[in-house]
Amino acid sequence: MHLLNARQVTPDDDGQAVDLGQSPGDILFLSAADTELACLAQAQASRPAEAPSLRLANLLRLGHPLSVDRYVEAMVGHARLVILRLLGGRSYWSYGVEQIAGACRERGIKLACLPGDDRPDPELAAWSTAPAEACQRLWRYCGHGGLANAEQLLAYAASLLGRPEPWREPAPLLRAGLYWPGQAQAELRQLQAAWQPGRPAVGLVFYRALVQAADLAPIDALIAALADAGLNALPLYVASLKEPAAAELVRELFAEIRPPVVLNATGFALSSPGAHRPTPLEVADSVVLQVVLAGGSEDGWRAGTRGLAARDLAMNVVLPEVDGRVLARAVSFKASRRYDARSEIEVIGHRPVADRVRFVADLAAAWARLRATPAAERRIALLLANYPNRDGRIANGVGLDTPASAVMVLQALKAASYGLSALPADGQALVENLLQGVTNAPENRAAKAPRVSLDLDDYLSFFNSLDPAVRDQVVARWGPPENDPQLIHKSFGLALWPLGNVVVGIQPARGYGIDPAASYHAPDLPPPHHYLAFYAWLRQAFGVHAIVHLGKHGNLEWLPGKALALSAACLPEAALGPLPHLY
């Protein structure tokens, strides 16, 4: 069978034998957790050159029996200490355990077989050849995690090989606690000392495993981006939000600080479908934005249209929706940070994507702005679907009287002290008033005076700020803005009816000169310039705080782009931007 020479493979390569291409080392550490391996590589980098050599390997790269045989022959037989950390017990990697244990027994090599979680595994421990006390201590270093424990693990391992080197006992890491860059166990007063006065604090909840692995680049990036967006970050790590102690810490801190927004980077759900109950994240009535630290690659995300792989979709979208969390964006992806020559391994970890981090921070700032603005000053857009694009189909819906619903919403806003200058009497009056202005129907459009318009120069300022890929798509399909038939006298007339600080509008058509029914749902049709001008006015001229698409689904979600975890090149994001949005 052919033996490939490679440094990095994936679990899908199990059908082929792989040679990791490493040279022998004094200490071998094998684990299926890239984060754990990356932390150990970082710890080894700070050790003196004369320290015992360390080789790190991911078990997922040794799935084929011939890969195991080659590794045992080339590496295990020359090592002095082998540390094997397995989540799932011996059965997870039975052939590897048997071959490595056999070689270690035959050649008198110390072997520590450690569980990959915090539960003892007597069956796995029976394969060890190192003293039970040593195995227990090594397991505790791994279980507590973090860079300091990784450094002490290597120092202790060196002592097991006869090198006189001081080491400290494993130091527990709290199951939940506050974090600040450079401080794995911070205190609230330390965070508050770093905050800017007068700014709202935004909760940032993430898994303790990131602290254990020293894999905090996306968290540090979010903290910095929140500061740039005018917010203070309140970062907390938890082993699990289902642990009572962790949940209570979150409740206590959020009850004291009362963040208007929470960015949540933990997966799964705390409630059951149909039985939602308030979670620790909602103690301050905060909006909870789900932030994704994706397990896939950035290249795969950029090239695909699905947005997230099935595992990320389940953990970070489907299940969190049970708790009522609102999906924000994926802010990081797994990537090779570097090749670590000292440990002879590709160091894999979360690599943040700068513009996605900024978008999430801007989205959090927009929600915080909405929360902080008095109701009388909030600017809201209520948008009605129009499918197909005929005047007789404005605000149509199946089983729903959308115009009447819109009037009820307006009445509720008025009762809540929102700044409405007028109210239509009923749904019929609402539609009749909309028909007095321009609509999507081309007939008599030129004869109607628009209530709201956007000058070409203002539109170009907005359009030129969009991602180049967006601009290229729109121009390739529709030409320059000057070609748009809805541009009259260098101004776009918009189907919007201002009612003080609330504006009611007809969502614009996806195109012109083509079948409106077919174009409404076309996933590959970029919107024309007047479509983007509509949202540009809401965002920049009107200064809208939140947009509500009411009734039958609109056409925004059908614009070209990913299904979720959008990029800057996705047309829904280009139109809507980082705004609170309710459908």
Side-chain angles (χ1 to χ4, degrees):
M1 187 171 290
H2 184 54
L3 188 66
L4 299 178
N5 192 6
R7 279 185 177 167
Q8 182 177 1
V9 296
T10 69
D12 295 332
D13 295 310
D14 284 353
Q16 294 178 319
V18 174
D19 183 353
L20 298 185
Q22 295 179 327
S23 63
D26 298 317
I27 302 170
L28 308 183
F29 192 104
L30 297 92
S31 169
D34 282 322
T35 51
E36 185 169 54
L37 298 172
C39 187
L40 285 163
Q42 186 176 345
Q44 179 71 358
S46 64
R47 289 176 55 73
E50 64 274 13
S53 56
L54 173 70
R55 299 292 178 262
L56 302 170
N58 192 312
L59 297 174
L60 298 179
R61 302 173 190 175
L62 298 172
H64 196 285
L66 283 183
S67 302
V68 174
D69 292 343
R70 173 58 179 154
Y71 186 81
V72 170
E73 176 186 352
M75 302 295 295
V76 175
H78 303 279
R80 300 169 61 197
L81 170 64
V82 178
I83 303 172
L84 175 59
R85 189 152 144 87
L86 278 173
L87 181 63
R90 183 193 65 83
S91 61
Y92 177 81
W93 199 52
S94 57
Y95 183 77
V97 172
E98 294 164 5
Q99 296 305 306
I100 288 178
C104 288
R105 285 198 176 97
E106 179 182 340
R107 305 183 191 191
I109 300 167
K110 293 183 176 68
L111 169 64
C113 292
L114 313 177
D117 54 21
D118 57 1
R119 291 171 295 182
D121 188 335
E123 180 190 14
L124 192 59
W127 292 88
S128 300
T129 63
E133 181 184 358
C135 293
Q136 183 74 13
R137 185 171 285 113
L138 292 169
W139 180 39
R140 287 165 53 214
Y141 282 125
C142 294
H144 294 317
L147 184 58
N149 278 316
E151 292 169 345
Q152 294 307 309
L153 181 150
L154 296 177
Y156 177 66
S159 74
L160 294 176
L161 302 183
R163 176 183 169 85
E165 185 171 339
W167 51 270
R168 296 191 301 272
E169 291 287 349
L173 177 68
L174 296 173
R175 299 292 292 175
L178 287 165
Y179 166 79
W180 198 250
Q183 300 178 57
Q185 302 194 55
E187 296 182 8
L188 181 58
R189 58 180 177 79
Q190 295 173 299
L191 271 63
Q192 291 173 323
W195 287 353
Q196 292 296 315
R199 293 181 172 186
V202 170
L204 173 55
V205 182
F206 60 97
Y207 278 124
R208 174 177 178 264
L210 297 177
V211 180
Q212 290 179 291
D215 190 14
L216 291 155
I219 304 303
D220 292 346
L222 281 168
I223 293 170
L226 289 170
D228 291 341
L231 303 168
N232 293 318
L234 177 64
L236 302 94
Y237 61 84
V238 295
S240 169
L241 285 169
K242 293 185 177 181
E243 289 191 3
E248 186 57 29
L249 174 65
V250 173
R251 285 193 186 93
E252 289 177 359
L253 284 169
F254 285 1
E256 178 180 352
I257 302 300
R258 304 199 66 77
V261 182
V262 173
L263 302 181
N264 177 61
T266 70
F268 305 104
L270 300 179
S271 302
S272 300
H276 175 71
R277 65 180 189 275
T279 72
L281 304 176
E282 301 168 295
V283 69
D285 194 28
S286 312
V287 62
V288 182
L289 302 178
Q290 185 73 14
V291 178
V292 182
L293 309 183
S297 71
E298 181 181 347
D299 288 344
W301 165 75
R302 290 195 182 278
T305 58
R306 186 169 58 179
L308 293 174
R311 182 172 180 270
D312 283 326
L313 179 64
M315 288 175 54
N316 296 295
V317 181
V318 177
L319 292 174
E321 283 185 354
V322 175
D323 284 346
R325 303 175 201 164
V326 179
L327 179 65
R329 293 293 186 269
V331 298
S332 72
F333 298 87
K334 283 293 187 72
S336 173
R337 297 183 194 165
R338 59 187 173 85
Y339 177 73
D340 186 74
R342 192 162 179 188
S343 302
E344 298 188 4
I345 190 174
E346 291 282 349
V347 176
I348 307 296
H350 289 286
R351 180 190 293 167
V353 180
D355 80 300
R356 299 298 81 196
V357 172
R358 286 195 302 272
F359 184 94
V360 168
D362 290 342
L363 182 61
W367 277 101
R369 169 177 171 251
L370 175 64
R371 178 73 168 267
T373 303
E377 300 173 18
R378 291 177 184 169
R379 294 178 174 267
I380 307 298
L382 201 62
L383 305 184
L384 310 176
N386 185 201
Y387 171 74
N389 301 128
R390 300 195 301 268
D391 284 351
R393 301 288 287 175
I394 292 174
N396 63 306
V398 178
L400 175 70
D401 187 337
T402 307
S405 298
V407 172
M408 292 182 69
V409 171
L410 293 172
Q411 292 170 345
L413 291 173
K414 182 72 172 179
S417 300
Y418 280 72
L420 276 86
S421 59
L423 277 176
D426 52 28
Q428 182 64 31
L430 173 70
V431 173
E432 289 175 355
N433 272 284
L434 289 172
L435 288 172
Q436 292 177 18
V438 297
T439 65
N440 289 319
E443 302 84 6
N444 302 319
R445 182 179 179 88
K448 291 184 176 181
R451 297 184 174 101
V452 172
S453 61
L454 184 70
D455 291 341
L456 178 59
D457 288 343
D458 292 333
Y459 171 71
L460 287 173
S461 176
F462 170 82
F463 184 68
N464 291 331
S465 71
L466 300 178
D467 188 277
V470 170
R471 302 199 303 266
D472 291 346
Q473 287 186 68
V474 174
V475 172
R477 178 61 183 84
W478 302 107
E482 292 80 1
N483 291 359
D484 195 300
Q486 294 194 20
L487 183 72
I488 300 174
H489 304 306
K490 294 188 175 182
S491 180
F492 288 99
L494 307 176
L496 289 162
W497 179 27
L499 299 170
N501 287 342
V502 179
V503 60
V504 179
I506 306 168
Q507 189 175 46
R510 284 283 304 275
Y512 51 85
I514 54 178
D515 179 4
S519 66
Y520 194 87
H521 298 101
D524 57 350
L525 178 68
H529 291 283
H530 70 259
Y531 190 105
L532 294 174
F534 183 92
Y535 286 94
W537 184 87
L538 290 173
R539 290 168 58 183
Q540 296 192 343
F542 185 58
V544 70
H545 289 86
I547 292 178
V548 181
H549 287 85
L550 183 67
K552 178 185 177 69
H553 72 76
N555 54 37
L556 185 79
E557 72 268 40
W558 296 99
L559 300 182
K562 304 180 191 306
L564 42 77
L566 306 185
S567 73
C570 295
L571 270 299
E573 178 171 316
L576 194 64
L579 275 175
H581 176 220
L582 298 96
Y583 236 126

